Amino acid sequence: MPAMVGAVKVITVSSSSIFNIGDVYSMSPDSSAKTYAGGGSFNTGDGIRVHLANSHTRVFDADAIDQPITGT
């Protein structure tokens, strides 16, 4: 059955989202990301103290593809 849609105002659509108006059978957004974090990263809370004298994050990655997104 056809969809009846009135006025639509789109302000923004992010890079990993889907915007659709009307009939649709299937929607499947895909994304992948790689995050490097060193010692003391991703801490949350009040009054956190992190003392790292000599911290290194090694980011060498020998393989070219980690999370392939294919067949979508």
Side-chain angles (χ1 to χ4, degrees), residues 2-71:
M4 300 295 288
V5 179
V8 176
K9 181 178 181 181
V10 178
I11 302 299
T12 184
V13 177
S14 69
S15 62
S16 63
S17 63
I18 292 178
F19 177 75
N20 180 61
I21 296 178
D23 298 335
V24 66
Y25 173 73
S26 175
M27 295 190 316
S28 176
D30 292 325
S31 68
S32 66
K34 182 184 289 188
T35 303
Y36 297 107
S41 299
F42 304 119
N43 291 325
T44 59
D46 296 329
I48 294 176
R49 293 182 183 179
V50 178
H51 300 283
L52 300 172
N54 191 6
S55 177
H56 298 283
T57 302
R58 300 178 195 273
V59 296
F60 176 72
D61 191 6
D63 56 346
I65 300 173
D66 290 328
Q67 297 176 342
I69 298 177
T70 59

